[in-house]
Amino acid sequence: MSSLSDRPILIKKVKKVVGGGHHGGAWKVAYADFVTAMMAFFLLMWLINTTDPEQKRGIAEYFAPASVSQTTSGSGGILGGTSLGEDGSKGSGSINVLEQLAPEAPQDAPEEAGVNANLAAASEEELREEIAAREAAEFASAAESLRQAMQQMPELAELSRQLIVDQTPEGLRIQLVDQEGRSMFEQNSARPNARAQVLLRAISTVINRLPNRISITGHTSAVPGSGRASSPGDWPLSAQRADASRQILQGAGIDPDRVYSVAGKAGSDPLYPDDPSLAGNRRIAIVLLREAPVLPRDTSL
């Protein structure tokens, strides 16, 4: 047997991993800081997106310094060592501060009543112009939408000649007119036929896009050779036709509160004055009324 001194010497080295290696927890701290920073960033983005320009301006003015101090002493701040209250340690300084915050008005400034009157007049005129321009654009868009619907729908394309759309001082006027052999109502009847009902439902989709109130008026034509614009029975007949049209429009989704008036004019307002007996004088006129602007209240009373 060999002695113990003849055996080889084995040296075992143990490598210690500092900080836990892959399974350490140092990365969790960095990740938590990253998540906190991202949360603060997205919170800032959300606040910027939800505040209006006026609020942003107020925040900026809050953090902006009111003045820059020329000295490094404590009296070089905003108030310069003074106080706004008279009972402060240096109350006399409040006068200077208040004078800077409220400078005197120029001597040639107009009277207060005159300024208010000019502003009221300017505001009223601008309001009228803005509402008129907006209504004109909305009416033009509604008329174009109705014409496109007439062209795109086969059941309405053949009825396009019986629809007249124009703008009047009262508002956007949509008229359903009769043609020879193509009436909107049966003779001496107040019920719209299938052709008129299709047109009225198509008109309701355009009316629903605008908030304006509507007026509905029925018209009849004169009896050929009678020499009279209308007969006594035409007045209730024209009114009944207008009311029947109202019922169809409301059934198609028109709010009843938007109906301003329903009237019958018989043959007193012909579409073709040169020949009151033409079929085109028999019609239903639907007007989207122009809305009067809300005027500022008179505070002088």
Side-chain angles (χ1 to χ4, degrees):
M1 295 181 61
S2 60
S3 62
L4 295 176
S5 59
D6 294 336
R7 294 182 180 181
I9 299 175
L10 301 177
I11 300 175
K12 184 177 180 181
K13 295 182 179 180
V14 180
K15 184 177 181 181
K16 295 184 180 181
V17 179
V18 180
H22 178 70
H23 300 285
W27 64 274
K28 297 179 182 179
V29 178
Y31 180 72
D33 293 340
F34 171 75
V35 172
T36 304
M38 291 301 296
M39 183 178 65
F41 172 75
F42 285 113
L43 181 61
L44 177 62
M45 294 295 101
W46 177 78
L47 289 174
I48 293 176
N49 189 43
T50 54
T51 54
D52 54 25
E54 188 66 25
Q55 292 173 334
K56 294 177 183 177
R57 190 178 303 110
I59 295 174
E61 292 177 354
Y62 176 81
F63 287 102
S67 63
V68 179
S69 175
Q70 300 296 330
T71 65
T72 58
S73 63
S75 63
I78 297 177
L79 298 180
T82 63
S83 63
L84 290 174
E86 295 182 355
D87 54 350
S89 61
K90 197 174 181 181
S92 61
S94 60
I95 300 177
N96 296 332
V97 174
L98 294 179
E99 287 180 352
Q100 293 178 2
L101 294 178
E104 295 182 358
Q107 298 180 356
D108 56 347
E111 296 292 335
E112 181 179 359
V115 172
N116 293 336
N118 294 335
L119 290 176
S123 301
E124 179 180 343
E125 185 65 23
E126 291 176 358
L127 182 61
R128 291 182 184 275
E129 293 178 356
E130 178 66 21
I131 291 180
R134 184 179 303 176
E135 282 186 341
E138 291 177 347
F139 287 163
S141 177
E144 185 62 26
S145 299
L146 185 57
R147 295 188 184 98
Q148 290 179 359
M150 297 289 293
Q151 296 174 359
Q152 295 173 359
M153 300 179 64
E155 63 271 20
L156 297 179
E158 60 176 346
L159 303 178
S160 58
R161 295 183 179 180
Q162 295 184 251
L163 198 67
I164 301 176
V165 182
D166 58 355
Q167 291 197 35
T168 67
E170 294 181 344
L172 180 65
R173 183 175 62 179
I174 305 172
Q175 299 186 95
L176 286 73
V177 300
D178 283 4
Q179 287 185 332
E180 293 296 338
R182 300 177 68 88
S183 176
M184 295 287 103
F185 297 84
E186 300 296 334
Q187 186 175 4
N188 296 326
S189 173
R191 180 175 177 80
N193 56 25
R195 186 182 304 109
Q197 294 181 26
V198 171
L199 281 175
L200 287 170
R201 293 191 184 96
I203 293 172
S204 67
T205 59
V206 176
I207 294 177
N208 279 326
R209 299 178 185 178
L210 299 176
N212 303 65
R213 295 179 297 173
I214 62 174
S215 67
I216 308 171
T217 307
H219 301 267
T220 59
S221 61
V223 179
S226 64
R228 294 181 300 176
S230 58
S231 61
D234 288 345
W235 290 97
L237 179 61
S238 60
Q240 292 170 7
R241 288 179 173 179
D243 189 60
S245 301
R246 174 194 62 81
Q247 296 178 19
I248 294 177
L249 290 174
Q250 290 183 187
I254 301 297
D255 189 349
D257 293 336
R258 294 183 56 189
V259 179
Y260 176 71
S261 65
V262 178
K265 290 188 176 182
S268 62
D269 186 14
L271 185 61
Y272 303 101
D274 296 338
D275 192 354
S277 63
L278 284 178
N281 292 312
R282 298 190 297 270
R283 67 196 189 277
I284 296 293
I286 303 170
V287 180
L288 279 81
L289 301 173
R290 300 184 187 275
E291 298 294 339
V294 179
L295 302 180
R297 300 178 60 182
D298 188 0
T299 57
S300 61
L301 298 178

